[in-house]
Amino acid sequence: MRLGINIDHVATIRNARGGNQPSPVKAAEIAANAGADGITAHLREDRRHISDIDIKALKESIELPLNLEIAPTDEMLSIALEARPERVCLVPEKRLEITTEGGLDIKNIEDKKKYFIQKIIKECTNSNIDVSLFIDPNLDQINAAIEIGTNIIELHTGEYCNSVNTIKELDRINKAAKYATDNNIETHAGHGLNFDNVIDIAKISYIKELNIGHFLIGESIFMGLEGAVKKMRNIIDDCK
Ligand code: PXP
């Protein structure tokens, strides 16, 4: 199972004061040395953490694959085509949300938006950029994602992480990951994962990649980023 480290909140801390410290590129390098398989960064429309310059600097400096999270908009598509990350992950974005609150509602999407997502998939694929769709662990959403033409999805684990009935939520994720895999869709997962709740998710062999950010950046205050990433890496590896 690959581990992608989301470094958005290194930029959040930097932006609290302005200036250049702490550096998302340095965080990506430390994460790489600690066993990460990829770096994830979300360029939000309001640029509240990661900036356009960060994306350029990450692409130029890091050796690991870059997973660029973007909302499906014209502006973000042209940034992605220019930046050439290894992968684009399409996420829904609401301006006032604190974090990505749910997956893309591909099932109920209007035709115009659906065609636009198909255009993103086509143009990115032509530029050798993989495209994944961030969706809720729901079979209808997976069917809609298949229909739209993706071959990678990321399952939103937020409800599982916040739920008191984790068994029910875990079952939903397990069934969704199996269903997607059976339909030749590579399955990733992420959002809200920490050292404890990652264990049951990492045991789901259908999931090929986890993307984890906020908890690890917070924990690195206490144990260092290298220590936090290594610990997460070990927990995930022990679940094999
Ligand atoms: N995956 C996606 C698609 C996300 O939008 C986010 C949050 O930016 C994450 C994973 C990581 O979530 P967290 O920061 O809660 O670990």
Side-chain angles (χ1 to χ4, degrees):
M1 190 175 278
R2 295 190 302 270
L3 172 60
I5 301 297
N6 181 316
I7 52 158
D8 292 349
H9 297 298
V10 175
T12 302
I13 298 171
R14 175 196 61 195
N15 295 357
R17 280 285 171 98
N20 301 321
Q21 304 297 329
S23 150
V25 168
K26 185 170 175 188
E29 285 165 359
I30 292 171
N33 288 332
D37 300 297
I39 298 299
T40 293
H42 185 173
L43 185 68
R44 293 189 78 102
E45 289 182 271
D46 62 8
R47 313 298 199 269
R48 67 176 73 155
H49 38 57
I50 292 292
S51 69
D52 303 57
I53 293 169
D54 290 326
I55 296 301
K56 205 163 173 272
L58 285 165
K59 191 62 195 121
E60 277 166 12
S61 322
I62 63 169
E63 281 172 20
L64 290 182
L66 178 64
N67 177 34
L68 174 63
E69 292 178 4
I70 53 169
T73 65
D74 279 311
E75 182 202 15
M76 291 297 156
L77 173 59
S78 52
I79 290 172
L81 291 175
E82 186 164 344
R84 303 257 182 154
E86 277 66 24
R87 188 195 308 138
V88 149
C89 177
L90 296 181
V91 299
E93 220 176 89
K94 296 183 205 133
R95 271 188 188 252
L96 296 181
E97 70 188 356
I98 292 172
T99 183
T100 316
E101 283 164 359
L104 285 166
D105 187 2
I106 309 278
K107 165 104 174 64
N108 299 305
I109 208 165
E110 56 196 59
D111 280 350
K112 202 171 144 211
K113 206 77 189 171
K114 179 176 164 184
Y115 299 142
F116 189 62
I117 290 180
Q118 286 175 323
K119 174 179 159 167
I120 295 177
I121 294 174
K122 194 168 159 223
E123 294 194 11
C124 285
T125 306
N126 287 344
S127 295
N128 284 326
I129 304 169
D130 289 335
V131 180
S132 96
L133 303 183
F134 190 44
I135 58 173
D136 289 332
N138 167 312
L139 301 197
D140 287 341
Q141 293 295 348
I142 296 172
N143 282 330
I146 294 170
E147 204 188 304
I148 221 168
T150 190
N151 50 15
I152 311 173
I153 57 167
E154 179 168 332
L155 298 174
H156 194 303
T157 50
E159 281 210 26
Y160 154 74
C161 295
N162 292 330
S163 168
V164 277
N165 189 351
T166 51
I167 295 180
K168 185 173 147 236
E169 286 303 321
L170 205 56
D171 187 52
R172 253 169 35 101
I173 294 170
N174 195 21
K175 284 198 176 116
K178 179 176 184 326
Y179 184 77
T181 306
D182 288 347
N183 283 281
N184 296 320
I185 303 291
E186 182 173 304
T187 304
H188 307 162
H191 208 281
L193 296 172
N194 61 36
F195 291 147
D196 297 320
N197 62 21
V198 76
I199 294 173
D200 285 325
I201 296 291
K203 285 181 183 161
I204 302 175
S205 60
Y206 305 110
I207 297 175
K208 298 299 169 212
E209 177 177 308
L210 296 178
N211 284 302
I212 309 180
H214 183 265
F215 170 78
L216 288 177
I217 303 306
E219 200 62 13
S220 67
I221 294 169
F222 308 112
M223 58 190 302
L225 182 57
E226 186 179 351
V229 173
K230 273 189 180 158
K231 183 166 172 181
M232 186 60 86
R233 170 90 269 165
N234 288 338
I235 291 171
I236 293 169
D237 290 349
D238 285 348
C239 292
K240 265 186 219 153

